[in-house]
Amino acid sequence: MMAIDNISLVVYGAAICTTCSFIPQVWQVIQSRNTESISLLMYCIFVFGVFLWCVYGVVVRDLPLIMANLITLILSGLILAMKLRDTTSKVDN
């Protein structure tokens, strides 16, 4: 039983680390309003992948998986939205 608890701690730790890793990027993009060095294709693929992980979490009814990926989806979606806005405004100019 103890091994399962330790594995759960590793899983929760990984979820927290990977989810929180987007906070500095979101903060930097919001403050600088600069998305020039961010790959649009990478963020499109990544956001779609995180969305699929959320769907999987719903299907298997795994709340920690859903929550971690939902938060990551929101954070990475903000970056993608700002990148799309910047890309669209450059095309318009």
Coordinates of all heavy atoms in Angstrom, one line a residue:
M1 N 0.8 -1.2 0.0 CA 0.0 0.0 0.0 C 0.9 1.3 0.0 O 0.5 2.2 -0.6 CB -0.9 0.0 1.2 CG -1.9 1.0 1.2 SD -3.2 0.7 -0.1 CE -4.3 1.9 0.3
M2 N 2.0 1.2 0.6 CA 2.9 2.4 0.7 C 3.4 2.8 -0.6 O 3.5 3.9 -0.9 CB 4.0 2.1 1.7 CG 4.8 3.3 2.0 SD 3.8 4.6 2.7 CE 5.0 5.3 3.8
A3 N 3.7 1.8 -1.5 CA 4.2 2.1 -2.8 C 3.2 2.8 -3.7 O 3.6 3.7 -4.4 CB 4.6 0.8 -3.5
I4 N 2.0 2.5 -3.5 CA 0.9 3.3 -4.3 C 0.9 4.7 -3.8 O 0.8 5.6 -4.6 CB -0.5 2.6 -4.1 CG1 -0.4 1.2 -4.8 CG2 -1.6 3.5 -4.6 CD1 -1.7 0.4 -4.5
D5 N 1.0 4.9 -2.5 CA 1.0 6.3 -2.0 C 2.2 7.1 -2.5 O 2.1 8.2 -2.8 CB 1.0 6.3 -0.4 CG -0.3 5.8 0.1 OD1 -1.3 5.8 -0.6 OD2 -0.3 5.4 1.3
N6 N 3.4 6.4 -2.5 CA 4.6 7.1 -3.1 C 4.4 7.4 -4.5 O 4.8 8.5 -5.0 CB 5.8 6.3 -2.8 CG 6.2 6.3 -1.3 OD1 5.9 7.2 -0.6 ND2 6.9 5.2 -0.9
I7 N 3.8 6.5 -5.3 CA 3.6 6.7 -6.7 C 2.6 7.9 -6.9 O 2.8 8.7 -7.8 CB 3.1 5.4 -7.4 CG1 4.3 4.4 -7.5 CG2 2.6 5.7 -8.8 CD1 3.9 3.0 -7.9
S8 N 1.6 7.9 -6.1 CA 0.6 9.0 -6.2 C 1.3 10.3 -5.9 O 1.0 11.3 -6.6 CB -0.5 8.8 -5.2 OG -1.3 7.7 -5.5
L9 N 2.2 10.4 -4.9 CA 2.9 11.6 -4.7 C 3.8 12.0 -5.9 O 3.8 13.2 -6.2 CB 3.8 11.4 -3.4 CG 3.1 11.4 -2.1 CD1 4.2 11.1 -1.0 CD2 2.4 12.7 -1.8
V10 N 4.4 11.1 -6.5 CA 5.2 11.4 -7.7 C 4.3 11.9 -8.8 O 4.6 12.9 -9.5 CB 5.9 10.1 -8.2 CG1 6.5 10.4 -9.6 CG2 7.0 9.7 -7.2
V11 N 3.1 11.3 -9.0 CA 2.1 11.8 -10.0 C 1.6 13.2 -9.7 O 1.6 14.0 -10.6 CB 1.0 10.8 -10.2 CG1 -0.1 11.3 -11.0 CG2 1.4 9.4 -10.7
Y12 N 1.3 13.4 -8.5 CA 0.8 14.8 -8.1 C 1.9 15.8 -8.3 O 1.7 16.9 -8.8 CB 0.2 14.8 -6.7 CG -1.1 14.2 -6.6 CD1 -1.4 13.0 -5.9 CD2 -2.2 14.8 -7.2 CE1 -2.6 12.5 -5.8 CE2 -3.5 14.3 -7.1 CZ -3.7 13.1 -6.4 OH -5.0 12.6 -6.3
G13 N 3.1 15.4 -7.9 CA 4.3 16.3 -8.1 C 4.5 16.6 -9.5 O 4.8 17.8 -9.9
A14 N 4.5 15.6 -10.4 CA 4.7 15.8 -11.8 C 3.6 16.8 -12.4 O 3.9 17.7 -13.2 CB 4.7 14.5 -12.5
A15 N 2.3 16.5 -12.0 CA 1.2 17.4 -12.4 C 1.4 18.8 -12.0 O 1.2 19.7 -12.8 CB -0.1 16.8 -11.9
I16 N 1.8 19.0 -10.8 CA 2.0 20.4 -10.3 C 3.1 21.0 -11.0 O 3.0 22.2 -11.5 CB 2.2 20.4 -8.8 CG1 0.9 20.0 -8.0 CG2 2.8 21.7 -8.3 CD1 1.1 19.6 -6.6
C17 N 4.2 20.4 -11.2 CA 5.4 20.9 -11.9 C 5.1 21.3 -13.3 O 5.4 22.4 -13.8 CB 6.6 20.0 -11.8 SG 7.3 19.9 -10.2
T18 N 4.5 20.4 -14.1 CA 4.3 20.6 -15.5 C 3.2 21.7 -15.7 O 3.3 22.5 -16.6 CB 3.9 19.3 -16.2 OG1 2.7 18.7 -15.6 CG2 5.0 18.4 -16.3
T19 N 2.2 21.7 -14.8 CA 1.2 22.7 -14.9 C 1.7 24.1 -14.5 O 1.5 25.1 -15.2 CB 0.0 22.4 -14.0 OG1 -0.6 21.1 -14.4 CG2 -1.1 23.4 -14.0
C20 N 2.4 24.2 -13.4 CA 3.0 25.5 -13.0 C 4.1 26.0 -13.9 O 4.4 27.2 -13.8 CB 3.5 25.4 -11.5 SG 2.1 25.1 -10.3
S21 N 4.7 25.1 -14.7 CA 5.8 25.6 -15.5 C 5.3 26.6 -16.6 O 6.1 27.4 -17.1 CB 6.4 24.4 -16.3 OG 5.5 23.9 -17.2
F22 N 4.0 26.7 -16.8 CA 3.5 27.7 -17.8 C 3.3 29.1 -17.2 O 3.2 30.1 -17.9 CB 2.2 27.2 -18.4 CG 2.4 26.2 -19.5 CD1 2.6 24.9 -19.3 CD2 2.6 26.7 -20.8 CE1 2.8 24.0 -20.3 CE2 2.9 25.8 -21.8 CZ 3.0 24.4 -21.6
I23 N 3.2 29.2 -15.9 CA 3.0 30.4 -15.2 C 4.0 31.5 -15.6 O 3.7 32.6 -15.9 CB 2.8 30.3 -13.7 CG1 1.5 29.5 -13.4 CG2 2.8 31.6 -13.0 CD1 1.3 29.0 -12.0
P24 N 5.3 31.2 -15.5 CA 6.3 32.2 -15.9 C 6.2 32.7 -17.3 O 6.3 33.9 -17.6 CB 7.7 31.5 -15.7 CG 7.4 30.4 -14.7 CD 6.0 30.0 -15.0
Q25 N 5.8 31.7 -18.3 CA 5.7 32.1 -19.7 C 4.5 33.0 -19.9 O 4.5 34.0 -20.6 CB 5.5 30.9 -20.5 CG 5.5 31.2 -22.0 CD 6.8 31.7 -22.5 OE1 7.8 31.0 -22.5 NE2 6.8 32.9 -23.1
V26 N 3.4 32.7 -19.2 CA 2.2 33.5 -19.3 C 2.5 34.9 -18.7 O 2.1 35.9 -19.3 CB 1.0 32.8 -18.6 CG1 -0.2 33.8 -18.5 CG2 0.6 31.5 -19.3
W27 N 3.1 34.9 -17.6 CA 3.4 36.2 -16.9 C 4.3 37.1 -17.8 O 4.1 38.2 -18.0 CB 4.1 35.9 -15.6 CG 4.4 37.2 -14.8 CD1 5.6 37.8 -14.6 CD2 3.4 37.9 -14.1 NE1 5.4 38.9 -13.9 CE2 4.1 39.0 -13.5 CE3 2.1 37.9 -13.9 CZ2 3.5 40.0 -12.8 CZ3 1.4 38.8 -13.2 CH2 2.1 39.9 -12.6
Q28 N 5.3 36.4 -18.4 CA 6.2 37.2 -19.3 C 5.5 37.7 -20.5 O 5.7 38.9 -20.9 CB 7.4 36.3 -19.8 CG 8.4 37.0 -20.6 CD 9.5 36.1 -21.1 OE1 9.5 35.0 -20.8 NE2 10.5 36.7 -21.7
V29 N 4.6 36.9 -21.1 CA 3.9 37.3 -22.3 C 2.9 38.5 -22.0 O 2.8 39.4 -22.7 CB 3.2 36.1 -23.0 CG1 2.2 36.6 -24.0 CG2 4.2 35.2 -23.6
I30 N 2.2 38.3 -20.9 CA 1.3 39.4 -20.4 C 2.0 40.7 -20.2 O 1.6 41.7 -20.6 CB 0.5 38.9 -19.2 CG1 -0.5 37.8 -19.6 CG2 -0.2 40.1 -18.6 CD1 -1.2 37.2 -18.5
Q31 N 3.2 40.6 -19.5 CA 3.9 41.8 -19.1 C 4.6 42.5 -20.4 O 4.5 43.7 -20.5 CB 5.0 41.5 -18.1 CG 4.4 41.4 -16.7 CD 5.5 41.5 -15.7 OE1 6.6 41.0 -15.8 NE2 5.2 42.1 -14.5
S32 N 5.2 41.7 -21.2 CA 5.9 42.2 -22.3 C 5.1 42.4 -23.6 O 5.4 43.2 -24.4 CB 7.1 41.2 -22.7 OG 6.6 40.1 -23.3
R33 N 3.9 41.8 -23.6 CA 3.1 41.8 -24.8 C 3.8 41.4 -26.1 O 3.5 41.8 -27.2 CB 2.5 43.2 -25.0 CG 1.7 43.7 -23.9 CD 0.3 43.2 -23.9 NE -0.5 43.8 -22.8 CZ -1.5 43.2 -22.4 NH1 -1.9 42.1 -22.9 NH2 -2.2 43.8 -21.4
N34 N 4.8 40.5 -25.9 CA 5.7 40.1 -27.0 C 5.6 38.6 -27.1 O 6.0 37.8 -26.2 CB 7.1 40.5 -26.7 CG 8.0 40.1 -27.9 OD1 7.6 39.5 -28.8 ND2 9.3 40.6 -27.8
T35 N 5.1 38.1 -28.3 CA 5.0 36.7 -28.5 C 5.9 36.3 -29.7 O 5.7 35.2 -30.3 CB 3.6 36.3 -28.8 OG1 3.1 37.0 -29.9 CG2 2.7 36.5 -27.6
E36 N 6.7 37.2 -30.2 CA 7.5 37.0 -31.4 C 8.3 35.7 -31.4 O 8.4 35.0 -32.4 CB 8.4 38.2 -31.7 CG 9.0 38.2 -33.0 CD 9.8 39.5 -33.3 OE1 9.3 40.5 -32.8 OE2 10.9 39.4 -33.9
S37 N 8.9 35.4 -30.3 CA 9.8 34.2 -30.3 C 9.1 32.9 -30.0 O 9.7 31.8 -29.9 CB 10.9 34.4 -29.2 OG 10.3 34.5 -27.9
I38 N 7.7 32.9 -29.9 CA 7.0 31.7 -29.6 C 6.5 31.1 -30.9 O 6.0 31.8 -31.8 CB 5.8 32.1 -28.7 CG1 6.3 32.6 -27.3 CG2 4.8 30.9 -28.5 CD1 5.2 33.1 -26.4
S39 N 6.6 29.8 -31.0 CA 6.2 29.1 -32.2 C 4.7 28.9 -32.2 O 4.1 28.3 -31.3 CB 6.9 27.7 -32.3 OG 6.3 26.9 -33.2
L40 N 4.0 29.5 -33.2 CA 2.6 29.3 -33.3 C 2.2 27.9 -33.5 O 1.3 27.3 -32.9 CB 2.0 30.2 -34.5 CG 0.5 30.1 -34.8 CD1 -0.3 30.5 -33.6 CD2 0.2 30.9 -36.0
L41 N 2.9 27.2 -34.4 CA 2.6 25.8 -34.7 C 2.7 24.9 -33.4 O 1.9 24.1 -33.1 CB 3.4 25.2 -35.8 CG 3.2 23.8 -36.2 CD1 1.8 23.5 -36.6 CD2 4.2 23.3 -37.3
M42 N 3.8 25.1 -32.7 CA 4.0 24.4 -31.5 C 2.9 24.6 -30.5 O 2.4 23.6 -29.9 CB 5.4 24.8 -30.8 CG 5.7 24.0 -29.5 SD 5.0 24.9 -28.1 CE 5.5 23.9 -26.8
Y43 N 2.5 25.8 -30.3 CA 1.4 26.1 -29.3 C 0.1 25.5 -29.8 O -0.7 25.0 -29.0 CB 1.3 27.5 -28.9 CG 2.1 27.8 -27.7 CD1 3.4 28.1 -27.7 CD2 1.5 27.6 -26.4 CE1 4.2 28.3 -26.5 CE2 2.2 27.8 -25.2 CZ 3.5 28.1 -25.3 OH 4.3 28.3 -24.2
C44 N -0.2 25.6 -31.1 CA -1.4 25.0 -31.6 C -1.5 23.5 -31.3 O -2.5 22.9 -30.8 CB -1.6 25.2 -33.1 SG -2.0 26.9 -33.6
I45 N -0.4 22.8 -31.6 CA -0.3 21.4 -31.4 C -0.4 21.0 -29.9 O -1.1 20.1 -29.5 CB 1.0 20.8 -32.0 CG1 1.0 20.9 -33.6 CG2 1.2 19.3 -31.6 CD1 2.3 20.6 -34.2
F46 N 0.3 21.8 -29.1 CA 0.4 21.6 -27.7 C -1.0 21.8 -27.0 O -1.5 20.9 -26.3 CB 1.4 22.5 -27.0 CG 1.5 22.2 -25.5 CD1 2.2 21.1 -25.0 CD2 0.9 23.0 -24.6 CE1 2.3 20.9 -23.7 CE2 0.9 22.8 -23.3 CZ 1.6 21.7 -22.8
V47 N -1.7 22.9 -27.4 CA -3.0 23.1 -26.8 C -4.0 22.0 -27.2 O -4.8 21.6 -26.4 CB -3.5 24.5 -27.2 CG1 -5.0 24.7 -26.9 CG2 -2.7 25.6 -26.5
F48 N -3.9 21.6 -28.4 CA -4.8 20.5 -28.9 C -4.5 19.2 -28.1 O -5.4 18.5 -27.7 CB -4.7 20.3 -30.4 CG -5.6 19.2 -30.9 CD1 -7.0 19.4 -30.8 CD2 -5.1 18.0 -31.4 CE1 -7.9 18.5 -31.3 CE2 -6.0 17.1 -31.9 CZ -7.4 17.3 -31.8
G49 N -3.2 18.9 -27.9 CA -2.8 17.7 -27.1 C -3.3 17.8 -25.7 O -3.8 16.8 -25.1
V50 N -3.2 19.0 -25.1 CA -3.6 19.1 -23.7 C -5.2 19.0 -23.6 O -5.7 18.3 -22.7 CB -3.2 20.5 -23.1 CG1 -3.8 20.7 -21.7 CG2 -1.7 20.5 -23.0
F51 N -5.8 19.5 -24.6 CA -7.3 19.3 -24.7 C -7.6 17.8 -24.8 O -8.5 17.3 -24.1 CB -7.8 20.0 -26.0 CG -9.3 19.7 -26.3 CD1 -10.3 20.2 -25.5 CD2 -9.5 18.8 -27.3 CE1 -11.6 19.8 -25.8 CE2 -10.8 18.5 -27.6 CZ -11.9 19.0 -26.9
L52 N -6.9 17.1 -25.6 CA -7.1 15.6 -25.7 C -6.9 14.9 -24.3 O -7.6 14.0 -24.0 CB -6.3 15.0 -26.8 CG -6.6 15.4 -28.2 CD1 -5.7 14.8 -29.2 CD2 -8.1 15.0 -28.5
W53 N -5.8 15.4 -23.6 CA -5.6 14.8 -22.3 C -6.8 15.1 -21.3 O -7.2 14.2 -20.5 CB -4.3 15.3 -21.6 CG -3.1 14.6 -22.1 CD1 -2.1 15.1 -22.8 CD2 -2.8 13.2 -21.8 NE1 -1.1 14.1 -23.0 CE2 -1.5 13.0 -22.4 CE3 -3.4 12.2 -21.0 CZ2 -0.9 11.7 -22.3 CZ3 -2.8 11.0 -21.0 CH2 -1.5 10.8 -21.6
C54 N -7.4 16.3 -21.5 CA -8.6 16.6 -20.7 C -9.7 15.7 -21.0 O -10.4 15.2 -20.1 CB -9.0 18.1 -20.9 SG -8.0 19.3 -20.1
V55 N -9.9 15.4 -22.3 CA -11.0 14.5 -22.7 C -10.7 13.1 -22.2 O -11.6 12.5 -21.6 CB -11.1 14.5 -24.3 CG1 -12.0 13.4 -24.8 CG2 -11.5 15.8 -24.8
Y56 N -9.5 12.7 -22.3 CA -9.1 11.4 -21.7 C -9.4 11.3 -20.2 O -10.0 10.3 -19.7 CB -7.7 11.1 -22.0 CG -7.2 9.8 -21.3 CD1 -7.6 8.5 -21.8 CD2 -6.4 9.8 -20.2 CE1 -7.2 7.4 -21.2 CE2 -5.9 8.7 -19.6 CZ -6.3 7.4 -20.1 OH -5.9 6.3 -19.5
G57 N -9.1 12.4 -19.5 CA -9.3 12.4 -18.1 C -10.8 12.3 -17.7 O -11.2 11.6 -16.8
V58 N -11.6 13.0 -18.6 CA -13.1 12.9 -18.4 C -13.6 11.4 -18.6 O -14.4 10.9 -17.9 CB -13.8 13.9 -19.3 CG1 -15.3 13.6 -19.3 CG2 -13.5 15.3 -18.8
V59 N -13.1 10.8 -19.7 CA -13.5 9.5 -20.1 C -13.1 8.5 -19.0 O -13.9 7.6 -18.6 CB -12.9 9.0 -21.4 CG1 -13.1 7.6 -21.7 CG2 -13.4 9.9 -22.6
V60 N -11.9 8.6 -18.4 CA -11.5 7.6 -17.4 C -11.9 8.1 -16.0 O -11.6 7.5 -15.0 CB -10.0 7.3 -17.4 CG1 -9.7 6.7 -18.8 CG2 -9.1 8.5 -17.2
R61 N -12.5 9.3 -15.9 CA -13.0 9.9 -14.6 C -11.8 10.0 -13.6 O -11.9 9.6 -12.5 CB -14.1 9.0 -14.0 CG -15.3 9.0 -14.9 CD -16.4 8.3 -14.2 NE -17.6 8.4 -15.1 CZ -18.4 7.4 -15.4 NH1 -18.2 6.2 -14.9 NH2 -19.5 7.6 -16.2
D62 N -10.8 10.7 -14.1 CA -9.6 10.9 -13.2 C -9.5 12.4 -12.9 O -9.0 13.2 -13.8 CB -8.4 10.4 -14.0 CG -7.1 10.5 -13.1 OD1 -7.0 11.4 -12.2 OD2 -6.2 9.7 -13.3
L63 N -10.0 12.8 -11.8 CA -10.1 14.3 -11.5 C -8.7 15.0 -11.5 O -8.6 16.1 -12.0 CB -10.8 14.5 -10.1 CG -11.1 15.9 -9.8 CD1 -12.0 16.6 -10.9 CD2 -11.8 16.0 -8.4
P64 N -7.7 14.4 -10.8 CA -6.4 15.1 -10.9 C -5.9 15.3 -12.3 O -5.3 16.3 -12.7 CB -5.4 14.1 -10.1 CG -6.4 13.4 -9.2 CD -7.6 13.2 -10.0
L65 N -6.1 14.3 -13.2 CA -5.7 14.4 -14.6 C -6.5 15.5 -15.3 O -5.9 16.3 -16.0 CB -5.9 13.1 -15.3 CG -5.5 13.0 -16.8 CD1 -4.0 13.2 -16.9 CD2 -5.9 11.7 -17.4
I66 N -7.8 15.6 -15.0 CA -8.6 16.6 -15.6 C -8.2 18.0 -15.1 O -8.0 18.9 -15.9 CB -10.1 16.4 -15.2 CG1 -10.6 15.1 -15.8 CG2 -10.9 17.6 -15.7 CD1 -11.9 14.6 -15.3
M67 N -8.0 18.1 -13.8 CA -7.7 19.4 -13.2 C -6.3 19.9 -13.7 O -6.2 21.1 -14.1 CB -7.7 19.4 -11.7 CG -9.1 19.2 -11.2 SD -10.4 20.3 -11.8 CE -9.8 21.8 -11.2
A68 N -5.3 19.1 -13.7 CA -4.0 19.5 -14.1 C -4.0 19.9 -15.6 O -3.4 21.0 -15.9 CB -3.0 18.4 -13.9
N69 N -4.6 19.2 -16.4 CA -4.7 19.5 -17.8 C -5.6 20.7 -18.1 O -5.3 21.4 -19.1 CB -5.0 18.3 -18.7 CG -3.8 17.4 -18.8 OD1 -2.8 17.7 -19.4 ND2 -3.8 16.3 -18.1
L70 N -6.6 20.8 -17.4 CA -7.5 22.0 -17.6 C -6.8 23.3 -17.2 O -6.9 24.3 -18.0 CB -8.8 21.8 -16.7 CG -9.9 22.9 -16.9 CD1 -10.4 22.9 -18.4 CD2 -11.0 22.6 -16.0
I71 N -6.0 23.3 -16.2 CA -5.3 24.5 -15.8 C -4.2 24.7 -16.9 O -4.0 25.9 -17.3 CB -4.6 24.3 -14.4 CG1 -5.7 24.3 -13.3 CG2 -3.6 25.5 -14.1 CD1 -5.3 23.9 -12.0
T72 N -3.5 23.7 -17.3 CA -2.5 23.8 -18.4 C -3.2 24.3 -19.7 O -2.6 25.2 -20.4 CB -1.8 22.5 -18.6 OG1 -1.2 22.1 -17.4 CG2 -0.7 22.6 -19.7
L73 N -4.3 23.8 -20.0 CA -5.1 24.3 -21.2 C -5.4 25.7 -21.1 O -5.2 26.5 -22.1 CB -6.3 23.4 -21.3 CG -7.2 23.7 -22.5 CD1 -6.4 23.4 -23.8 CD2 -8.5 22.9 -22.5
I74 N -5.8 26.2 -19.9 CA -6.1 27.6 -19.8 C -4.9 28.5 -19.9 O -4.9 29.5 -20.7 CB -6.8 27.9 -18.4 CG1 -8.2 27.3 -18.4 CG2 -6.9 29.4 -18.1 CD1 -8.8 27.2 -17.0
L75 N -3.8 28.1 -19.3 CA -2.5 28.9 -19.3 C -1.9 28.9 -20.7 O -1.6 29.9 -21.3 CB -1.5 28.3 -18.3 CG -1.9 28.5 -16.8 CD1 -0.9 27.8 -16.0 CD2 -2.0 30.0 -16.5
S76 N -1.8 27.7 -21.3 CA -1.3 27.6 -22.7 C -2.2 28.2 -23.7 O -1.8 28.8 -24.7 CB -0.9 26.2 -23.1 OG -2.0 25.4 -23.0
G77 N -3.5 28.1 -23.4 CA -4.5 28.8 -24.3 C -4.4 30.3 -24.3 O -4.6 30.9 -25.3
L78 N -4.1 30.9 -23.2 CA -3.8 32.3 -23.1 C -2.6 32.7 -23.9 O -2.7 33.7 -24.7 CB -3.6 32.7 -21.6 CG -4.8 32.8 -20.7 CD1 -4.3 33.0 -19.3 CD2 -5.7 33.9 -21.1
I79 N -1.6 32.0 -23.9 CA -0.4 32.3 -24.7 C -0.7 32.1 -26.1 O -0.4 33.0 -27.0 CB 0.8 31.3 -24.3 CG1 1.2 31.6 -22.9 CG2 1.9 31.5 -25.3 CD1 2.2 30.6 -22.3
L80 N -1.4 31.1 -26.5 CA -1.8 30.9 -27.9 C -2.7 32.0 -28.4 O -2.6 32.5 -29.5 CB -2.5 29.5 -28.1 CG -3.1 29.2 -29.5 CD1 -1.9 29.2 -30.5 CD2 -3.8 27.9 -29.5
A81 N -3.7 32.4 -27.6 CA -4.6 33.5 -28.0 C -3.8 34.8 -28.2 O -4.1 35.5 -29.2 CB -5.6 33.7 -26.9
M82 N -2.8 35.1 -27.4 CA -2.0 36.3 -27.5 C -1.1 36.2 -28.8 O -1.0 37.1 -29.5 CB -1.2 36.6 -26.3 CG -2.1 37.0 -25.1 SD -1.1 37.3 -23.6 CE -0.6 39.0 -24.0
K83 N -0.6 35.0 -29.0 CA 0.2 34.7 -30.2 C -0.7 34.9 -31.5 O -0.2 35.6 -32.5 CB 0.8 33.3 -30.2 CG 1.6 33.0 -31.4 CD 2.9 33.9 -31.6 CE 3.7 33.5 -32.7 NZ 4.9 34.3 -32.9
L84 N -1.9 34.3 -31.5 CA -2.8 34.5 -32.6 C -3.1 36.0 -32.8 O -3.2 36.4 -34.0 CB -4.0 33.6 -32.4 CG -3.8 32.1 -32.6 CD1 -5.1 31.4 -32.1 CD2 -3.5 31.8 -34.0
R85 N -3.4 36.7 -31.8 CA -3.7 38.1 -31.9 C -2.6 38.9 -32.5 O -2.8 39.7 -33.4 CB -4.0 38.7 -30.5 CG -4.4 40.1 -30.5 CD -4.2 40.8 -29.2 NE -2.8 40.8 -28.9 CZ -2.3 40.9 -27.7 NH1 -3.1 40.9 -26.6 NH2 -1.0 40.9 -27.5
D86 N -1.3 38.6 -32.0 CA -0.2 39.3 -32.6 C 0.1 38.9 -34.0 O 0.4 39.7 -34.8 CB 1.1 39.0 -31.7 CG 1.0 39.6 -30.4 OD1 0.1 40.4 -30.1 OD2 1.9 39.2 -29.5
T87 N -0.1 37.6 -34.4 CA 0.1 37.2 -35.7 C -0.9 37.8 -36.7 O -0.6 38.3 -37.8 CB 0.0 35.6 -35.8 OG1 1.0 35.1 -34.9 CG2 0.2 35.1 -37.2
T88 N -2.2 37.9 -36.2 CA -3.3 38.5 -37.0 C -3.0 40.0 -37.2 O -3.2 40.5 -38.3 CB -4.6 38.2 -36.3 OG1 -4.8 36.8 -36.1 CG2 -5.8 38.8 -37.2
S89 N -2.6 40.7 -36.1 CA -2.4 42.1 -36.3 C -1.2 42.4 -37.2 O -1.2 43.4 -37.9 CB -2.2 42.7 -34.9 OG -0.9 42.3 -34.3
K90 N -0.2 41.5 -37.3 CA 0.9 41.8 -38.2 C 0.5 41.6 -39.6 O 0.9 42.3 -40.5 CB 2.1 40.8 -37.9 CG 2.9 41.2 -36.7 CD 4.0 40.3 -36.5 CE 4.8 40.7 -35.2 NZ 5.9 39.8 -34.9
V91 N -0.4 40.6 -39.9 CA -1.0 40.4 -41.2 C -1.8 41.6 -41.6 O -1.8 42.0 -42.8 CB -1.8 39.1 -41.3 CG1 -2.5 39.0 -42.6 CG2 -0.9 37.9 -41.0
D92 N -2.6 42.2 -40.7 CA -3.4 43.3 -41.0 C -2.6 44.6 -41.3 O -3.1 45.5 -42.0 CB -4.4 43.6 -39.9 CG -5.4 42.5 -39.7 OD1 -5.6 41.7 -40.7 OD2 -6.1 42.4 -38.6
N93 N -1.4 44.7 -40.8 CA -0.6 45.9 -40.9 C 0.2 45.9 -42.2 O 0.5 45.6 -43.0 CB 0.3 46.1 -39.8 CG -0.4 46.5 -38.5 OD1 -1.5 47.1 -38.6 ND2 0.1 46.2 -37.4

